[in-house]
Amino acid sequence: MVFGVILAGGVGSRMGNVEKPKQYLKIGNKPIIIHTIEKFFVHDAFVKLIVLCPKQWMENTKNLIKKYLADGAERVVVLEGGTTRNETIMNSIAYIEKEYGLEDDTLIVTHDSVRPFLTYRIIEENIKYGLEYGAVDTVIAATDTIVESQDGKTITSVPDRKKMYQGQTPQTFNAKKLKELYLSLSEEEKEILTDASKIFVIKGEKVHLVEGEVFNIKITYPYDLRVAESLIQEQNKAK
Amino acid sequence: MLNTVYRLVAPRRFEVEFNDINLHAGQVVVRPTHLSICHADQRYYQGLRPAEVMKSKLPMALIHEGIGEVVYDPAGNFQCGDSVIMIPNTPLEQDQVIAENYLRSSKFRASGFDGFMQEHVALAPDRVVPLDPSIDKIVAAFTELVSVSVHALRRFDAIAHSRRNIVGIWGDGNLGYITAIFFKAMFPDVKLYIFGVDQEKMSQFSFADDTFSVMDIPSGLLIDHAFECVGGEPSQKAISQIIDHIQPEGTISLLGVSEYPVPINTRMVLEKGLRLFGSSRSGREDFLKTVALYKEHPEIIGYLSNIVGAQIEVRTIADMNRAFEMDIHKSIGKTIMIWNK
C-alpha cells in the first residue's frame, strides 16, 4: 500500500511579517497546502493522504480540506506533527501501522506542503522506484557551484559540480525499513540526522534518485511567494 | 489542482506556466502520453503565421493530436489508467443542423486555446473517447488527423450521388494516404485511383486499385467523384485536373489547406453540374466512427504505422524543441512525442 505524507509540521520563521505559517498563505485562489494536497489527491495509487501539521492548525487544516475537496476529504486524514521532521514522519508511520498494519511493501511518499508545483511524473517515479529500491530522493542537478566551509570563513573544499545535486521532495521510503532504521539511532544521531534519506545513507542503504523540476520550488521566503504567484497568474495572459 | 502547461511564447521558445484545474467542474482529467505534431503546430512554432495572428494567440500550448490516460473522473465513467483519445474541437453550443466542427462559436485546441502540451488536460466528458488498449499507441496518437479523413468520407457518403464506380484521390502525402486507407475500408467495392507526384510514396498505396502520376494522366480516364488532399499552391493544379477528369454531377471533396485563394474553373463546374464541398476538422461522431473502424479493420493500424516517423521521448523543454526541429526535416510521416511530463 502507498500513502501520501504531506509535511506541514513547521511554523515558518523565515517569511517576514506574515502571521500564518506559509503553507496556509494563498497563491492563485487557494492555500498553498491545498494545491499540494490536490496533486496527491488525483493520484489513485494513494490509499490515504496523511497531512501532518502544528497542533493549533489542525482544525483549520481539516476545515480547508473539507472546503476545497468536498467529498474527497474522506481520503485525507490530518494528524499532529512531531517536534522534528523525522518525528513527524514517524507519526505518520504510527498511524499507518495502527490503521492498516505495516507490510513489507508499505510505502510512504513524503512531501513538503510548501512545494505545490511538483508534477504527476515526479510522484509516479517516486512510487515506481520506491517499490523497487526502498528509498528515493527527488533532486535536480546543481546549477551553482557548491563550496564547503568548515568554519564559515574560508573554503575547505570545492566539490565537482557535476556530482552535486540539490535535494527537493518528495522523498519516498519503505515505511517498515525507515522505522527500523530510525529506532536503531541513538538520541545523538537523531539530533544530527534531520533528513530521512540521510538515515538510509548512513546505514549503508541505497537511495535512488528521481529527477525533480527546477520549478518544484519550496516556498520559504516572501520572494518565493511572489515567484509562485507570478507563475500561476501567467494563465491570465493565455487564451 | 496546479497544472504545468508548456506554452509557446515566441517562435521556437517554450516556457513553463501553470493553470489551476477545478476538480469539481465535472471535467475528466487526462494525462497526455503520446502527442503528434501537425503542420498547424509547425506554423506557430516556426513563426510562419502572420505577425498579428502570432501576437493574438501566444502564449499558447501547441498540439491538437494526442492520446492519454485518465487520472481523475469525478463522474466515475472512466477508470484511472483508461486509455483515451482527446478531442480538440470544443463546442460551446448545440445545433441540430450544423456539425460541431463548423460552428463558428466552437473553440479548437492549439488554435483558440491551450493544446495538449500540458501535464494534465481537463476536458468535458464528451471530449474524451475510450481507446481500446490493444491499439498501437504510437498510431493512435494521430487519430485526430485520421478522424478528419473519416469526417470527409462520411460527408462524401451523405452528399455524393449513388453512381460510385471509380473515385480518385489527389495527393500522396499523409492526408491522401489516410483518406485512401479509410476509403477502402468504408467503400470496399468502389475502385480507388490515386493521383500523385512521387512514385516512391505512391508505391505505399498498395491497397488502391491503381496509381497515376499527375504528369501523365491518360486523357480518356474518367472518375465519378474525387477528393483533393493536396493543399497549398499545388491544389489549384489538382482541382483543375479533377474538373477535367470527373464525370458530370460528380462531387469534389476539398481537404487541402491553402494560405492563398485558389482560382477554380467555374465554367466547367457549371457545365458539368459539379458539387464542391469543403471538409475541415472533426467532431465526436467522427472519432467514434474512427475507433470503430480500427476495431473492424485491424489491418488499418498496420497501414497507418507505415507513416510513423520519429518517436521522441519528451522529459524536458529541450526534448520538445528537438521533436519540432526533427519534424521540420522529415519528408513524410508523423513525428510522435512520447510525453513524459
Side-chain angles (χ1 to χ4, degrees):
Chain A
M1 283 199 274
V2 185
F3 296 86
V5 176
I6 317 275
L7 305 172
V11 177
S13 59
R14 282 175 284 188
M15 282 298 286
N17 286 327
V18 289
E19 289 168 1
K20 287 182 189 174
K22 56 215 172 203
Q23 57 271 28
Y24 298 102
L25 298 178
K26 279 188 180 179
I27 53 171
N29 300 317
K30 287 176 203 160
I32 293 168
I33 190 169
I34 296 296
H35 285 302
T36 305
I37 292 171
E38 283 185 337
K39 294 299 279 202
F40 281 77
F41 181 73
V42 297
H43 219 298
D44 71 323
F46 296 112
V47 176
K48 196 94 177 176
L49 304 181
I50 304 167
V51 179
L52 299 110
C53 66
K55 191 176 182 181
Q56 65 272 31
W57 285 92
M58 283 177 68
E59 284 311 310
N60 183 47
T61 307
K62 285 178 192 169
N63 292 339
L64 290 175
I65 291 168
K66 264 186 219 141
K67 178 179 173 188
Y68 288 100
L69 291 185
D71 294 344
E74 288 166 16
R75 241 177 100 207
V76 188
V77 63
V78 179
L79 303 179
E80 187 183 345
T83 49
T84 64
R85 185 181 179 88
N86 283 333
E87 285 293 332
T88 301
I89 294 174
M90 286 305 135
N91 285 3
S92 74
I93 294 178
Y95 169 82
I96 294 166
E97 189 163 17
K98 183 169 159 249
E99 298 292 324
Y100 302 90
L102 281 189
E103 305 291 333
D104 285 342
D105 59 353
T106 301
L107 203 66
I108 53 168
V109 180
T110 71
H111 187 67
D112 296 330
S113 63
V114 286
R115 288 187 192 269
F117 294 104
L118 89 162
T119 66
Y120 190 95
R121 176 198 55 84
I122 293 175
I123 296 177
E124 187 175 59
E125 291 185 354
N126 264 266
I127 295 172
K128 181 183 167 197
Y129 293 113
L131 291 170
E132 203 174 328
Y133 293 93
V136 173
D137 204 356
T138 304
V139 299
I140 53 168
T143 47
D144 292 326
T145 299
I146 311 281
V147 298
E148 188 192 4
S149 173
Q150 299 280 359
D151 59 5
K153 291 175 184 165
T154 55
I155 290 177
T156 313
S157 68
V158 182
D160 180 3
R161 184 159 60 96
K162 288 190 194 118
K163 293 178 184 164
M164 294 293 116
Y165 295 87
Q166 290 166 255
Q168 299 186 333
T169 67
Q171 291 181 315
T172 298
F173 308 103
N174 177 301
K176 208 173 179 181
K177 187 89 190 166
L178 178 61
K179 188 188 167 192
E180 274 172 30
L181 293 176
Y182 188 73
L183 292 179
S184 73
L185 299 176
S186 65
E187 286 307 310
E188 197 180 24
E189 282 177 314
K190 282 180 186 168
E191 286 286 309
I192 308 163
L193 299 175
T194 54
D195 184 280
S197 64
K198 200 167 171 183
I199 300 173
F200 276 74
V201 176
I202 293 277
K203 295 288 178 184
E205 301 282 341
K206 281 211 159 47
V207 179
H208 192 77
L209 297 182
V210 159
E211 194 182 357
E213 292 281 1
V214 176
F215 54 76
N216 181 23
I217 56 169
K218 186 174 183 177
I219 299 171
T220 310
Y221 302 103
Y223 167 80
D224 304 325
L225 199 60
R226 293 188 64 169
V227 170
E229 191 69 47
S230 68
L231 284 171
I232 296 185
Q233 281 184 349
E234 289 297 330
Q235 67 178 309
N236 300 333
K237 282 201 285 173
K239 302 291 117 36
Chain B
M1 178 187 59
L2 287 178
N3 180 48
T4 321
V5 185
Y6 298 87
R7 293 191 177 117
L8 188 77
V9 296
R12 290 186 150 84
R13 208 173 97 213
F14 294 108
E15 281 185 10
V16 175
E17 295 177 349
F18 296 85
N19 62 17
D20 190 1
I21 292 175
N22 182 351
L23 297 176
H24 307 293
Q27 292 177 302
V28 180
V29 179
V30 176
R31 190 177 178 226
T33 56
H34 297 75
L35 303 179
S36 161
I37 300 174
C38 167
H39 293 304
D41 300 308
Q42 280 291 359
R43 284 194 282 270
Y44 286 111
Y45 177 75
Q46 296 175 51
L48 301 177
R49 300 295 310 271
E52 60 272 19
V53 174
M54 295 292 286
K55 197 179 169 201
S56 73
K57 304 247 181 180
L58 304 190
M60 178 176 73
L62 300 182
I63 301 292
H64 61 268
E65 300 174 5
I67 60 167
E69 287 176 1
V70 171
V71 296
Y72 184 72
D73 177 19
N77 295 323
F78 293 96
Q79 300 296 310
C80 289
D82 279 0
S83 288
V84 291
I85 305 164
M86 299 178 283
I87 303 179
N89 190 61
T90 307
L92 300 177
E93 61 176 319
Q94 282 196 324
D95 192 299
Q96 298 303 315
V97 177
I98 309 301
E100 61 163 87
N101 45 318
Y102 297 114
L103 289 171
R104 303 305 285 172
S105 58
S106 291
K107 293 206 296 178
F108 197 80
R109 296 265 180 190
S111 174
F113 68 127
D114 280 333
F116 299 143
M117 288 178 75
Q118 307 188 42
E119 179 190 7
H120 299 103
V121 182
L123 302 122
D126 70 345
R127 299 297 96 189
V128 180
V129 173
L131 174 67
D132 189 314
S134 67
I135 305 284
D136 181 351
K137 291 190 164 43
I138 299 290
V139 170
F142 54 91
T143 297
E144 192 274 340
L145 174 62
V146 175
S147 75
V148 171
S149 287
V150 170
H151 172 74
L153 289 163
R154 293 177 68 212
R155 276 164 74 76
F156 161 80
D157 200 23
I159 295 170
H161 65 64
S162 59
R163 186 180 297 158
R164 300 170 181 181
N165 297 325
I166 302 173
V167 166
I169 292 179
W170 266 253
D172 53 21
N174 292 336
L175 188 63
Y177 183 73
I178 293 169
T179 306
I181 292 169
F182 281 81
F183 185 90
K184 265 299 175 189
M186 292 168 72
F187 308 98
D189 301 328
V190 179
K191 266 192 179 169
L192 178 66
Y193 292 173
I194 309 298
F195 300 84
V197 286
D198 188 325
Q199 286 300 334
E200 187 73 26
K201 286 182 186 174
M202 283 202 288
S203 66
Q204 285 198 12
F205 291 72
S206 56
F207 46 82
D209 294 283
D210 213 340
T211 59
F212 299 92
S213 163
V214 290
M215 312 300 284
D216 192 22
I217 302 176
S219 58
L221 188 148
L222 290 170
I223 53 169
D224 296 308
H225 306 283
F227 289 83
E228 177 272 320
C229 300
V230 177
E233 212 175 312
S235 59
Q236 181 183 344
K237 187 84 189 289
I239 294 166
S240 174
Q241 281 186 342
I242 290 170
I243 292 170
D244 288 345
H245 290 277
I246 200 165
Q247 299 266 29
E249 292 208 42
T251 61
I252 304 175
S253 174
L254 304 172
L255 278 87
V257 178
S258 172
E259 293 284 338
Y260 309 101
V262 177
I264 291 175
N265 179 358
T266 54
R267 168 178 288 270
M268 286 310 291
V269 171
L270 271 57
E271 279 190 21
K272 288 190 175 183
L274 302 178
R275 272 184 273 192
L276 279 68
F277 65 95
S279 287
S280 174
R281 297 179 175 168
S282 58
R284 181 176 172 83
E285 290 301 314
D286 305 305
F287 278 82
L288 293 174
K289 177 73 179 171
T290 304
V291 171
L293 286 165
Y294 283 167
K295 209 161 188 176
E296 284 167 35
H297 301 271
E299 73 279 6
I300 281 178
I301 301 297
Y303 287 135
L304 290 175
S305 68
N306 289 340
I307 53 166
V308 172
Q311 301 171 35
I312 295 161
E313 193 189 352
V314 172
R315 286 178 68 92
T316 64
I317 284 180
D319 294 334
M320 298 171 198
N321 282 100
R322 195 159 56 88
F324 275 78
E325 294 297 330
M326 279 186 80
D327 184 68
I328 293 170
H329 301 296
K330 69 178 192 322
S331 65
I332 188 174
K334 298 294 292 177
T335 302
I336 311 296
M337 292 189 281
I338 298 164
W339 192 250
N340 196 4
K341 287 309 300 175

